[in-house]
Amino acid sequence: MSIARLARVSAASVLLLVAGCDNKAPDGARPAIAADSTAALHALFQQDWERNLQESPLLATYLGDARFNDRWDDLSPEAIARHRAGNSQALQKLATIDRGKLDVDDQLNYDLFRQLMEDSEEFYEHGGHLRPIEQRNGLQTANEVLEALRFDSVKDYDSWIARLRAFGTYTDQTIALMKTGIAQGRGYPQVIMRRVSSQIAQQLVGDPKLSAYYAPFRTINASLPASEAERLRGEGEAAVRDVVLPAYRRLQAYFDTEYLPQSPEAVGLSAQPGGAEFYAWLVRSHTTTSLTPDRIHEIGLAEVARIREAMERIREQVGFKGDLNAFFQFLRSDPQFFYKNPNDLLTGYTLIAKRIEPELLRLFGKLPRTPYGVRAIPDISAPDTTTAYYYPPSAEGGGRAGYYYVNLYKPETRPKWEMEALTSHEAVPGHHLQLALQQELGEMPAFRKYGNGFTAYVEGWGLYSESLGGELGLYRDPYSRFGQLSYEMWRAVRLVVDTGLHAKGWTREQAIDYFKSNCPKTELDIVNEIDRYIAMPGQATAYKIGELKIKELRSRAERELGDSFDIRAFHDAVLASGAVPLNILEARMDAWIKSRKPAPEKAQ
């Protein structure tokens, strides 16, 4: 479960937010506070958070709230209408609260909450909920919710059995959304949807006990009575045999005979009804800026040119005689750069993470209490997904650590030179440090603590974290340094190909060729990445835009504070408010810089 997937767990839990919020004032500049307004605001936050958990049991499960583990999300038209009506009612309640009587923190909370509601409605207006399945997310991999579940009691197993028994309804509701979407010309392109057919087929096992959905019953908790264990196994097997497998057969029949043939051939979102407007909104939403696709494309081209020059310098340093593209091919293919088996690859990732951890105190004053682990991406997803992703910890009291998931499929395509940069991004000091700290930020409302909708901040921090590797003792050889550059190039290329695909009419092949000519990632990764951009328009533009802003703020702080600049204090300040739009981050950091400047000496 990636961050992106957690934010897209259902049509009823959209967490897409954009900028447009007032800036937080410096400490000490606090307006008069009305207790009744503050109480009303936080009551609304709590009521609405509870509503979202009830309407999206999957979101609750992923956050470690077990109350609704016996059900899937309700994707019926009636449920979607209720959700949208609930958003409207929340906005009406919000309008009755006097924003001017709130303190600066709650004014920010007020604005972010309002934007959440308004953007959720815009997502529905663009028909975003009518594309519920693609190669990285969807019903065909719904079993991966097991990654978030614990099976300690009879109730835990009974809840899973109840969920299995409801899987047919969940499947039929998903198919209904797909039918509505395809009738309106809103679907994912055929080139990526062909992957989904094989994913569905993998679920159609002959023996229900071999199903991924039966997995919890293979190792039932030994503390349970034998009679209960026998009952649970029997009921679990029956639910898989009688409900889950027939549901997948219905899904595959519809998908292969109707949905896939009607899916659009064009890969760009702009080719669909209202697609250009939808894409422009997605870009603004993910980057939390007013940047247009054209402007982002230009930024990408400039960054690609800059990073190529740095790559050329390392190519010359190692004495490689061919040109840069030949060097890329060398890095993609020479056996010295690859592990031979998945277990060694997993060990390699784990050792890098453990090597980083003791160095973190050099750059951070505050570290999270929540631990994290390293796991393999589930086999059913691995061939069609990216190199790695981060899975956030459960909400407070949920008892689940964060996890850094790594792709062990075809280790001969996973080069060693990229592993340090990747671990810095997805684990520490990247997503785990950032998101675990966010969940530990005291009285922050739950929709901010556990929501990751400000992609530019979240992924901008991840990419910025890669650049910290040298300060953490990584990148000691030129190939690892080149790996860090290649990862920065990867995100620069994204600006070009994402906008190229969805706003400029690029073909999939054109995007793949551009990627290959500028980045040494292996072809398997490149193809999976391009297909990811096709399936998630705009999301990939946020990384580089966010990183550039954080680097700009660091340079500003170093310049203005001089010898008094403290890198640990700077990083703590960047992470202190959790995910926010970039304009809010900039205003907060400008106030922080101002507060750290020494007072001018008085004239004698």
Side-chain angles (χ1 to χ4, degrees):
M1 175 60 60
S2 65
I3 295 173
R5 187 181 298 180
L6 181 58
R8 300 173 61 200
V9 94
S10 80
S13 59
V14 179
L15 297 176
L16 294 171
L17 311 180
V18 298
C21 314
D22 290 350
N23 296 332
K24 185 183 187 302
D27 291 343
R30 302 178 69 84
I33 301 169
D36 55 346
S37 294
T38 300
L41 182 70
H42 283 271
L44 173 59
F45 290 160
Q46 182 58 40
Q47 291 164 7
D48 198 74
W49 183 249
E50 178 64 21
R51 173 177 72 92
N52 275 279
L53 293 178
Q54 292 181 12
E55 291 180 347
S56 180
L58 285 171
L59 176 62
T61 293
Y62 284 122
L63 292 173
D65 184 337
R67 290 176 296 159
F68 315 112
N69 282 353
D70 59 347
R71 66 198 79 166
W72 305 94
D73 294 2
D74 188 344
L75 304 182
S76 67
E78 297 78 14
I80 292 172
R82 284 195 302 272
H83 177 70
R84 296 178 72 174
N87 287 352
S88 179
Q89 291 164 9
L91 281 171
Q92 292 172 18
K93 288 182 182 179
L94 188 69
T96 67
I97 298 171
D98 188 342
R99 183 183 177 283
K101 293 182 179 179
L102 302 170
D103 70 13
V104 289
D105 290 316
D106 275 332
Q107 286 180 354
L108 176 59
N109 291 331
Y110 181 107
D111 293 335
L112 297 181
F113 182 81
R114 179 178 58 196
Q115 198 65 56
L116 173 88
M117 296 294 110
E118 292 173 351
D119 277 17
S120 178
E121 183 58 26
E122 185 154 4
F123 181 80
Y124 283 108
E125 287 295 318
H126 283 296
H129 63 297
L130 298 177
R131 305 197 304 170
I133 188 169
E134 38 98 347
Q135 82 276 17
R136 297 181 72 240
N137 300 290
L139 193 66
Q140 78 280 16
T141 56
N143 61 287
E144 289 181 11
V145 71
L146 286 168
E147 298 284 321
L149 290 171
R150 297 175 63 174
F151 291 89
D152 298 324
S153 67
V154 170
K155 183 180 179 182
D156 294 333
Y157 290 96
D158 279 331
S159 292
W160 181 242
I161 291 169
R163 207 171 227 174
L164 295 180
R165 288 170 175 164
F167 191 77
T169 299
Y170 185 50
T171 300
D172 293 338
Q173 289 175 346
T174 301
I175 291 173
L177 285 177
M178 295 165 70
K179 287 181 176 180
T180 301
I182 210 69
Q184 295 181 10
R186 304 178 192 274
Y188 291 105
Q190 285 190 14
V191 68
I192 61 170
M193 297 309 281
R194 293 188 193 106
R195 292 174 176 254
V196 175
S197 181
S198 62
Q199 292 172 342
I200 299 170
Q202 290 183 64
Q203 298 284 9
L204 293 174
V205 294
D207 181 352
K209 291 183 179 180
L210 297 178
S211 169
Y213 291 86
Y214 185 79
F217 305 106
R218 295 187 197 121
T219 55
I220 286 185
N221 193 311
S223 67
L224 301 184
S227 59
E228 282 286 49
E230 184 178 359
R231 175 186 68 83
L232 294 170
R233 289 191 192 96
E235 293 184 6
E237 181 181 359
V240 173
R241 181 188 64 238
D242 300 338
V243 180
V244 175
L245 294 178
Y248 273 123
R249 284 193 287 270
R250 292 198 302 277
L251 177 63
Q252 185 156 59
Y254 168 68
F255 187 90
D256 289 348
T257 62
E258 296 184 46
Y259 193 75
L260 183 58
Q262 295 181 69
S263 296
E265 293 186 7
V267 295
L269 184 59
S270 59
Q272 299 190 16
E277 294 79 10
F278 190 17
Y279 180 64
W281 176 76
L282 286 169
V283 164
R284 293 194 303 272
S285 172
H286 285 300
T287 65
T288 67
T289 70
S290 59
L291 292 170
T292 65
D294 282 346
R295 179 59 186 139
I296 287 177
H297 194 83
E298 293 169 0
I299 293 171
L301 291 172
E303 281 293 286
V304 167
R306 178 186 65 80
I307 299 167
R308 278 189 73 96
E309 291 182 1
M311 286 179 160
E312 288 283 10
R313 289 193 290 272
I314 291 182
R315 180 190 63 78
E316 293 171 358
Q317 177 188 347
V318 299
F320 187 82
K321 300 304 181 183
D323 63 12
L324 193 58
N325 285 334
F327 191 46
F328 288 169
Q329 187 56 35
F330 167 68
L331 293 170
R332 290 179 186 129
S333 59
D334 195 286
Q336 68 175 302
F337 298 124
F338 299 90
Y339 287 102
K340 293 182 178 180
N341 66 73
N343 288 335
D344 288 346
L345 179 58
L346 180 62
T347 299
Y349 279 119
T350 304
L351 290 176
I352 291 170
K354 296 307 176 186
R355 198 163 79 239
I356 293 172
E357 288 174 5
E359 305 298 327
L360 292 173
L361 286 174
R362 295 164 56 185
L363 299 182
F364 298 89
K366 185 175 182 180
L367 297 174
R369 299 186 300 273
T370 307
Y372 75 97
V374 184
R375 283 183 174 177
I377 291 174
D379 291 343
I380 195 170
S381 301
D384 300 306
T385 197
T386 49
T387 314
Y389 53 72
Y390 176 69
Y391 186 112
S394 59
E396 188 175 2
R400 188 189 69 243
Y403 282 99
Y404 168 34
Y405 278 84
V406 294
N407 200 327
L408 306 183
Y409 176 70
K410 290 190 175 181
E412 68 276 12
T413 68
R414 316 286 173 190
K416 296 176 183 178
W417 46 258
E418 71 177 5
M419 293 170 65
E420 290 183 342
L422 181 61
T423 304
S424 299
H425 181 115
E426 299 293 350
V428 287
H431 288 323
H432 175 70
L433 193 153
Q434 170 209 14
L435 293 172
L437 280 175
Q438 178 173 291
Q439 292 190 6
E440 297 171 10
L441 286 175
E443 298 302 315
M444 182 178 288
F447 80 90
R448 289 189 60 198
K449 241 184 213 185
Y450 306 118
N452 304 309
F454 296 114
T455 318
Y457 177 98
V458 174
E459 298 296 356
W461 174 261
L463 181 50
Y464 169 77
S465 294
E466 295 174 23
S467 72
L468 299 178
E471 297 171 80
L472 293 167
L474 304 179
Y475 313 146
R476 292 180 177 177
D477 68 80
Y479 292 112
S480 289
R481 289 200 300 276
F482 197 90
Q484 186 267 320
L485 278 178
S486 75
Y487 264 47
E488 189 178 6
M489 175 66 90
W490 171 23
R491 281 38 168 263
V493 165
R494 283 176 170 179
L495 299 184
V496 179
V497 299
D498 196 286
T499 52
L501 287 164
H502 296 293
K504 295 183 174 295
W506 281 28
T507 65
R508 179 173 178 263
E509 292 70 27
Q510 194 174 353
I512 290 171
D513 289 344
Y514 184 86
F515 202 143
K516 287 174 67 175
S517 66
N518 287 288
C519 190
K521 285 185 74 66
T522 60
E523 185 162 357
L524 175 66
D525 270 355
I526 288 173
V527 172
N528 280 344
E529 281 293 317
I530 293 300
D531 286 352
R532 169 190 168 183
Y533 310 151
I534 292 171
M536 300 175 67
Q539 191 267 354
T541 65
Y543 295 64
K544 193 65 180 170
I545 298 301
E547 179 229 18
L548 289 172
K549 177 56 68 176
I550 296 172
K551 284 186 172 179
E552 174 192 328
L553 295 173
R554 177 171 172 172
S555 295
R556 186 182 306 170
E558 290 172 336
R559 182 176 65 253
E560 296 191 21
L561 296 179
D563 292 341
S564 64
F565 175 77
D566 181 344
I567 187 60
R568 298 166 82 239
F570 172 81
H571 287 151
D572 289 351
V574 169
L575 297 172
S577 64
V580 290
L582 294 183
N583 65 319
I584 302 298
L585 176 64
E586 183 166 19
R588 289 178 63 89
M589 295 309 297
D590 281 344
W592 177 83
I593 292 169
K594 184 177 180 181
S595 72
R596 304 279 293 192
K597 284 184 176 179
E601 295 183 5
K602 294 182 179 179
Q604 297 296 322

